[in-house]
Amino acid sequence: MSNPVQSDKDRVVIFDTTLRDGEQCPGATMTFEEKLNIAAMLDGMGVDIIEAGFPIASDGDFEAVNEIAKRSQNAVICGLSRAGAKDIDRCAEAIRPARRGRIHTFLSTSPVHMKYKLQMDPQQVYELVISSVTRARNHTDDVEWSSEDGTRTEFDFLCRCVEAAIKAGATTINIPDTVGYAVPEEYYDLFKRVRESVPNSDKAVFSVHCHNDLGMAVANSMAGVRAGARQIECTINGIGERAGNAALEEVVMAMRVRNDKLPYWNKIDTTQLTHASKVVSAATSFPVQYNKAIVGRNAFAHESGIHQDGMLKNAQTYEIMLPETVGVKQTSLVMGKHSGRHAFVHKLEEMGHKLAGNQVEDAFVRFKALADRKKHIYDEDIEALIDEGMVSAHDRIKLLSLSVIAGTRGPQRATMKLDVDGVAKIEESEGNGPVDAVFNCIKSLVPHEAKLELYQVHAVTEGTDAQAEVSVRLSQDGRSMTARAADPDTLVASAKAYLGALNKLVMKRQRDVAQGTGAAAAAAAAAS
């Protein structure tokens, strides 16, 4: 965010090229409406310059740039053009409706590009730099010139071209790391030397445009800024050709969080960064990697027990920025196999459960067992686990193990081991399907006359590893008892639910017998 106490010389202009370089990413084409929506979002969050497209590339590109130019409220609307007259004129026509428009023209200057791509000698390129910038300047007083493949350009020739471009009317000079080859030290040195060597360098703003082929786009961008550049060309989520561009959210937050080492400021409303990331991801159908800095799903999520314990004591132990500063509601303590007891108890309390010491220990053991089998633990999983624990704490019949043989070649067979009043019993039974085989095992181990009135299965949470929640209702002698159980294995959940209902029937019968015995004793005492 802008800081009024900082001087204009420390202000960094944010040039967003999501709609141009970002859309050149294979498979990231956006519709006309999506482009307008993203442009409005960028305009609203404080982006200084929106590079809206490459007008000569297609009629669709021209129309999008033209319509964005009509609608822009704050940002400069920029179009990209090659050095040819038709490109520049088409670009000028596209941005004409903008309150403030920019033509961004570029030309390759590296030996390999001049020889093989342009098939021009250095003098021809030099003359084309002058003529293209002059033509663009005749359309608008805001002209940016880029030396494509600038980091692989011979230094003296680069300085000649930069000086000529500024003299011809360029107000912004961009020296891009087009192929992502530079490292921060040499990118810093390049900008420092060019600015010191070009006599009229003070007449233009210098710009960085870094690609991420070696994963150094953001580091290189900040190195250029430290060397005097005051415009960063970047994209939301870092999308762009090949490995992408410097990510807008990363350069912006680097300046904000490490302002002690990067004492620069910009106008971006950082609370909109997460929303912007989601909008661009949806429009391009490019998912954001979970561990992506600033806006990734895991950027403010903690599963490690040590980290969770520290976070619960003080968030600064493992977070260098507040999640709300980038538009994230709150830190997420992700429950999983690495979570510790402290985080588990905190989660229980958040869910409204106050368990005694032994209950917590029992629940934590079962939670760890579930986490070893299931990738994602949701609140519903924990709820089911707690409910099951509370219900089964005093059960006379407990499931110790279960294995089932199922498939197209019947009959299906189940082998079960139960703890019945402290005695382990094992049985193997067949059935008309795996569930029937499981229930037949229970009947053999615990003979009873109860009838199955309800058997229902549904998933507790999403995904193929979701817990199945099974409901079973048994009836006997006019009494009906229902129980539920959850487990990633549907057959295990089925066995637990059946045993839960059976335990309720057994306990109900015991209470009835006790009450009957007590009543008989009382009657005998009264008679005597």
Side-chain angles (χ1 to χ4, degrees):
M1 300 288 286
S2 63
N3 187 339
V5 303
Q6 290 182 301
S7 64
D8 286 343
K9 71 181 180 65
D10 294 325
R11 185 193 162 190
V12 173
V13 171
I14 300 299
F15 177 112
D16 183 277
T17 184
T18 301
L19 296 173
R20 199 278 300 169
D21 200 328
E23 204 201 15
Q24 288 178 209
C25 183
T29 302
M30 305 170 211
T31 66
F32 180 77
E33 291 74 18
E34 286 169 340
K35 288 182 180 181
L36 298 184
N37 183 37
I38 289 171
M41 176 190 70
L42 296 172
D43 196 24
M45 68 189 286
V47 167
D48 297 287
I49 298 112
I50 299 172
E51 189 166 54
F54 199 163
I56 206 168
S58 69
D59 289 340
D61 243 34
F62 176 89
E63 290 167 8
V65 174
N66 191 249
E67 188 62 30
I68 290 168
K70 293 175 184 175
R71 298 188 183 196
S72 174
Q73 298 297 308
N74 306 299
V76 173
I77 301 305
C78 175
L80 183 71
S81 77
R82 292 168 298 191
K86 288 183 179 179
D87 274 54
I88 293 169
D89 294 346
R90 185 70 165 161
C91 185
E93 186 182 352
I95 66 166
R96 187 165 289 121
R99 296 166 68 182
R100 293 183 296 158
R102 173 182 293 189
I103 294 175
H104 179 193
T105 183
F106 68 96
L107 188 61
S108 297
T109 53
S110 68
V112 65
H113 274 228
M114 289 190 292
K115 181 178 180 180
Y116 296 106
K117 177 182 169 183
L118 300 180
Q119 297 181 336
M120 296 170 67
D121 62 41
Q123 184 60 30
Q124 289 174 304
V125 170
Y126 176 78
E127 291 172 0
L128 188 53
V129 169
I130 297 171
S131 63
S132 61
V133 172
T134 300
R135 190 175 191 94
R137 186 60 188 256
N138 287 336
H139 289 293
T140 177
D141 60 3
D142 190 346
V143 175
E144 177 173 340
W145 179 74
S146 287
S147 57
E148 186 178 12
D149 205 21
T151 53
R152 296 194 297 176
T153 297
E154 292 179 345
F155 182 75
D156 290 343
F157 182 64
L158 177 62
C159 288
R160 277 188 68 207
C161 290
V162 169
E163 183 180 356
I166 296 172
K167 189 174 181 180
T171 51
T172 301
I173 296 294
N174 179 40
I175 306 175
D177 185 25
T178 304
V179 293
Y181 183 72
V183 298
E185 292 82 1
E186 64 182 339
Y187 203 56
Y188 172 91
D189 185 59
L190 176 63
F191 273 85
K192 188 172 184 293
R193 290 176 63 207
V194 168
R195 292 181 66 245
E196 290 173 350
S197 302
V198 173
N200 56 357
S201 64
D202 61 325
K203 301 290 193 299
V205 173
F206 279 75
S207 177
V208 296
H209 180 118
C210 300
H211 280 264
N212 206 39
D213 298 71
L214 294 176
M216 290 186 278
V218 170
N220 283 336
S221 297
M222 298 318 303
V225 170
R226 287 192 298 106
R230 287 297 180 266
Q231 175 178 288
I232 297 178
E233 304 190 6
C234 47
T235 62
I236 301 293
N237 296 336
I239 65 170
E241 295 213 56
R242 303 183 314 280
N245 293 267
L248 181 148
E249 59 276 5
E250 294 179 27
V251 296
V252 166
M253 290 309 293
M255 285 184 270
R256 176 167 180 149
V257 175
R258 292 310 311 270
N259 201 246
D260 58 327
K261 296 295 183 182
L262 303 169
Y264 317 106
W265 60 277
N266 57 79
K267 297 197 305 178
I268 299 297
D269 177 1
T270 63
T271 63
Q272 297 188 44
L273 291 175
T274 298
H275 172 68
S277 170
K278 291 177 179 177
V279 169
V280 171
S281 177
T284 58
S285 297
F286 269 46
V288 178
Q289 66 189 68
Y290 285 1
N291 62 328
K292 167 77 173 64
I294 315 300
V295 294
R297 183 169 118 177
N298 289 349
F300 294 94
H302 307 267
E303 184 183 326
S304 161
I306 295 172
H307 287 216
Q308 289 178 337
D309 183 64
M311 284 295 299
L312 290 169
K313 290 170 180 173
N314 188 315
Q316 291 182 345
T317 53
Y318 288 103
E319 284 186 352
I320 60 172
M321 65 193 98
L322 296 173
E324 54 264 33
T325 61
V326 298
V328 176
K329 289 183 179 179
Q330 62 184 10
T331 292
S332 170
L333 297 185
V334 179
M335 303 310 293
K337 66 179 182 179
H338 301 112
S339 298
R341 187 177 281 94
H342 188 179
F344 181 67
V345 172
H346 179 75
K347 173 61 75 174
L348 292 180
E349 290 173 352
E350 274 188 347
M351 296 169 65
H353 294 294
K354 296 280 187 181
L355 303 185
N358 290 340
Q359 290 176 314
V360 169
E361 189 59 35
D362 177 62
F364 184 65
V365 169
R366 287 184 288 115
F367 160 74
K368 281 289 196 178
L370 176 63
D372 277 334
R373 302 165 60 197
K374 195 174 188 292
K375 289 182 180 179
H376 304 293
I377 305 295
Y378 299 91
D379 286 2
E380 295 90 341
D381 291 316
I382 297 174
E383 198 75 57
L385 185 139
I386 296 302
D387 289 346
E388 180 187 333
M390 289 179 169
V391 168
S392 63
H394 303 291
D395 284 351
R396 287 182 54 195
I397 310 163
K398 297 178 181 179
L399 178 67
L400 297 179
S401 67
L402 172 66
S403 60
V404 179
I405 298 173
T408 55
R409 294 184 178 180
Q412 286 71 39
R413 180 175 293 274
T415 303
M416 181 179 289
K417 185 177 182 180
L418 295 181
D419 179 327
V420 182
D421 291 327
V423 178
K425 297 182 177 182
I426 299 176
E427 186 60 68
E428 183 177 298
S429 298
E430 293 181 352
N432 183 21
V435 175
D436 189 47
V438 168
F439 290 173
N440 285 341
C441 256
I442 296 173
K443 289 177 183 177
S444 297
L445 288 165
V446 187
H448 60 275
E449 301 298 325
K451 293 182 179 179
L452 180 64
E453 290 187 338
L454 172 72
Y455 173 72
Q456 198 171 60
V457 183
H458 74 272
V460 174
T461 53
E462 62 189 36
T464 55
D465 65 347
Q467 285 204 91
E469 184 174 75
V470 176
S471 298
V472 166
R473 183 165 65 241
L474 297 178
S475 67
Q476 184 175 356
D477 300 330
R479 303 185 187 92
S480 289
M481 292 294 173
T482 302
R484 289 183 302 169
D487 194 274
D489 188 315
T490 305
L491 296 174
V492 172
S494 300
K496 288 181 176 179
Y498 193 105
L499 289 171
L502 189 58
N503 272 295
K504 288 181 180 181
L505 282 175
V506 170
M507 292 176 72
K508 177 70 170 127
R509 190 186 309 125
Q510 286 178 330
R511 283 195 297 269
D512 288 348
V513 169
Q515 288 171 357
T517 303
S528 63

